[in-house]
Amino acid sequence: MRYSYQREIILDIVRSTKTHPTAEWIHNKAQKKIKAISLGTVYRNLGLLENLGKIQTVKDNNVVRYDCNIEPHNHLKCKICDTLIDIPVANEAMKKNVKSKYNFDVDDINITFIGTCSKHN
Amino acid sequence: MRYSYQREIILDIVRSTKTHPTAEWIHNKAQKKIKAISLGTVYRNLGLLENLGKIQTVKDNNVVRYDCNIEPHNHLKCKICDTLIDIPVANEAMKKNVKSKYNFDVDDINITFIGTCSKHN
DNA sequence: TAATAAATAGTAATCATTCCTAATAAATAA
DNA sequence: TTATTTATTAGGAATGATTACTATTTATTA
């Protein structure tokens, strides 16, 4: 894969935050560095970086968010402030459980806990 | 809420299958009974039926699927045949765990196991 | 049976994401 | 160093699920 300054900046931006930014947010930030960077370039490079295993994605409603945390992990989603909080994988043993109960080979577990985070109590 | 024949047909259709149909699929089926039923009517009534607690929704990629199973439950998603399989809630005790570890009050747990179902082995 | 207001059909708008293409730029060979 | 090749980009158009809008229809009730 050929070097691209756009891709470098995009990766830097994703790595600069734990807020699980959207493509649009990343695009806005990137424009501070490269005024003419296009949204398509941001999307394409985010996809490439995901394929390279350098970033992860999280589905949040109907938006994709990007995450520099590449460890397997799950999320707490606060319905009040919309924050996504990373948590370690809840239980690897669940995979074995599902295999024995349903004869279903689990590759990936997608867990989101929806509720109210510690800021609001 | 006023009676509507369209709404009755839509609920019947959702209750007729365990395939977690999309709004478009439901619309196609509904047109067999009511030739001029509009897609907007299908969406609006699916939303109303969800608010009434008569059906549930599942997010599948960027599509919403509808489910007549109104028990709390989670899903196995087969990446080969795209089937969604209902399973009972994996573990209610996880809520308490998350509360004590992260001081996060869980209302709802969203779990999808992605993998290969028993048809393919 | 007439009045009323909720529900519908049909279509336009929205919004995140993907696709397309001519122009640009990184890598490599001469 | 310079020319060549081809991946990458910018900019804008297209897509597809869903929502919004509005004139018309229909369930309800007085």
Side-chain angles (χ1 to χ4, degrees):
Chain A
M1 177 177 299
R2 212 162 76 168
Y3 170 82
S4 123
Y5 180 56
Q6 283 84 342
R7 185 152 54 241
E8 182 178 320
I9 293 297
I10 289 164
L11 181 54
D12 283 352
I13 291 170
V14 177
R15 286 187 171 155
S16 74
T17 180
K18 291 184 178 177
T19 61
H20 306 81
T22 62
E24 202 191 344
W25 188 94
I26 295 163
H27 182 229
N28 281 339
K29 273 255 171 177
Q31 285 178 316
K32 305 273 162 66
K33 292 257 181 185
I34 308 170
K35 64 183 181 317
I37 193 171
S38 78
L39 186 55
T41 296
V42 171
Y43 272 107
R44 187 167 26 73
N45 280 296
L46 288 169
L48 291 170
L49 291 167
E50 186 188 7
N51 288 343
L52 292 172
K54 297 194 171 180
I55 63 177
Q56 279 196 349
T57 57
V58 207
K59 300 254 168 67
D60 184 25
N61 270 342
N62 46 348
V63 200
V64 175
R65 295 184 173 279
Y66 297 87
D67 193 345
C68 63
N69 179 357
I70 55 174
E71 296 300 310
H73 67 281
N74 301 118
H75 295 96
L76 309 180
K77 156 109 187 215
C78 180
K79 64 185 182 183
I80 296 178
C81 59
D82 274 342
T83 306
L84 283 177
I85 302 159
D86 288 0
I87 61 173
V89 163
N91 194 351
E92 270 300 307
M94 289 199 293
K95 289 190 185 186
K96 285 177 195 154
N97 189 24
V98 167
K99 173 66 176 165
S100 70
K101 272 196 185 139
Y102 304 101
N103 190 24
F104 186 99
D105 290 305
V106 177
D107 299 323
D108 196 20
I109 307 179
N110 227 300
I111 306 183
T112 307
F113 295 87
I114 293 136
T116 308
C117 80
S118 58
K119 283 183 223 147
H120 314 292
N121 56 17
Chain B
M1 176 176 299
R2 209 164 78 168
Y3 170 82
S4 123
Y5 180 56
Q6 283 82 344
R7 184 153 56 242
E8 181 178 320
I9 293 298
I10 289 165
L11 181 55
D12 283 351
I13 291 170
V14 177
R15 286 187 171 156
S16 74
T17 181
K18 291 184 177 176
T19 61
H20 305 83
T22 62
E24 203 192 342
W25 189 94
I26 295 163
H27 182 229
N28 282 338
K29 273 255 171 178
Q31 285 177 315
K32 306 273 162 65
K33 293 257 182 188
I34 307 169
K35 64 184 182 315
I37 192 171
S38 80
L39 186 55
T41 296
V42 171
Y43 272 107
R44 186 168 25 75
N45 279 297
L46 287 169
L48 290 170
L49 290 167
E50 186 188 8
N51 288 343
L52 292 172
K54 297 194 172 180
I55 63 176
Q56 277 196 350
T57 57
V58 208
K59 299 255 169 68
D60 184 25
N61 273 340
N62 48 346
V63 201
V64 175
R65 296 183 172 279
Y66 297 87
D67 194 344
C68 63
N69 179 357
I70 55 174
E71 297 300 310
H73 66 280
N74 301 118
H75 294 96
L76 310 180
K77 157 108 186 215
C78 179
K79 63 184 183 184
I80 296 178
C81 59
D82 274 343
T83 306
L84 284 178
I85 301 160
D86 288 1
I87 61 173
V89 164
N91 195 351
E92 270 299 308
M94 288 199 293
K95 289 190 185 186
K96 286 177 193 155
N97 189 24
V98 166
K99 173 67 177 165
S100 68
K101 271 196 186 141
Y102 305 102
N103 190 24
F104 185 100
D105 290 306
V106 178
D107 298 323
D108 196 21
I109 307 179
N110 226 301
I111 307 183
T112 308
F113 296 87
I114 293 136
T116 307
C117 79
S118 57
K119 283 184 224 149
H120 314 293
N121 56 15

